[in-house]
Amino acid sequence: MQKLPEQNKSHLLEKIILNIKNYKPKSLILEGLTPSAVLVPILKSSESVIFIKRTTKVKDHKGQIAFPGGVMFDNEKPEITALREAEEEVGINPKDVMIIGSLDDTITIAGYLIHPVVGIVNDENFTPKPNPDEVEKVIIIKLEDLLSAKYIEGGDLKWEFHIGDVVIWGATARILKNFLEVSFKINYG
């Protein structure tokens, strides 16, 4: 993990770093769920967030838009899982990530307890390398576009963000909503 030089932070990144660092996430302790972690990876130079579209080969969440992540090993910290999975799924070098904090835990209908971790990625030398067994496509969306995305709660998919032709829904939408609310003091209601 690396330290982000102070002089290279933009206004949006400054807000994210300050607000996520000071946020006290809500932790869930629920029996019978599979502990997992995801990385909310923010590309420093392009001020964008990486999402993945899962392949149809994976066990759960086939074809869904998600953050890189996966199941935690026994006694593994969420940060370690998130970094390991981001490297495995899209080729993000853990040494290029500055972890700034966590978001609220969330659950999926497939039985996962997700611990979201937020990190700033020094992406000067980053080229996405999707793992073809797990990732159909890497989707990179600018923070500005996420901030202006159409949000629907209670729609067909319960929680939805519409950014162009990309629809982010379910647990990923809940994590994205939490990220935007905490980072930019937005209230989606």
Side-chain angles (χ1 to χ4, degrees), residues 38-39 41 49-54 61 63-69 89-90 114 137-139 167-169 171-173 175:
V38 298
L39 181 67
V49 178
I50 296 176
F51 296 88
I52 59 172
K53 181 174 182 184
R54 297 210 173 275
H61 311 114
Q64 293 181 12
I65 306 294
F67 291 109
E89 292 180 351
V90 293
I114 303 173
K137 164 167 103 168
V138 174
I139 301 166
V167 178
I168 299 169
W169 60 279
T172 303
I175 294 167

Side-chain angles (χ1 to χ4, degrees), residues 140-151:
I140 298 175
I141 302 175
K142 291 209 159 285
L143 286 166
E144 299 167 344
D145 294 333
L146 291 173
L147 287 166
S148 62
K150 180 179 179 185
Y151 174 71

Side-chain angles (χ1 to χ4, degrees), residues 8-44:
N8 293 330
K9 288 188 270 183
S10 79
H11 183 64
L12 290 176
L13 290 178
E14 285 175 5
K15 280 186 172 184
I16 293 168
I17 292 166
L18 176 69
N19 292 327
I20 296 291
K21 275 187 175 180
N22 291 320
Y23 184 65
K24 303 287 185 244
K26 295 174 185 76
S27 296
L28 297 175
I29 301 171
L30 300 169
E31 296 296 320
L33 296 175
T34 304
S36 62
V38 298
L39 181 67
V40 178
I42 302 153
L43 299 175
K44 181 178 133 187

Side-chain angles (χ1 to χ4, degrees), residues 87-156:
E87 182 175 34
E88 177 185 311
E89 292 180 351
V90 293
I92 297 173
N93 185 335
K95 293 177 183 171
D96 291 333
V97 180
M98 179 184 72
I99 299 295
I100 56 173
S102 297
L103 297 167
D104 296 345
D105 290 348
T106 192
I107 59 173
T108 71
I109 58 172
Y112 293 90
L113 172 60
I114 303 173
H115 305 284
V117 176
V118 181
I120 306 291
V121 180
N122 182 353
D123 56 330
E124 291 172 5
N125 300 313
F126 173 68
T127 302
K129 295 175 205 79
N131 176 336
D133 292 328
E134 298 185 46
V135 178
E136 179 180 312
K137 164 167 103 168
V138 174
I139 301 166
I140 298 175
I141 302 175
K142 291 209 159 285
L143 286 166
E144 299 167 344
D145 294 333
L146 291 173
L147 287 166
S148 62
K150 180 179 179 185
Y151 174 71
I152 301 169
E153 189 163 323
D156 292 341

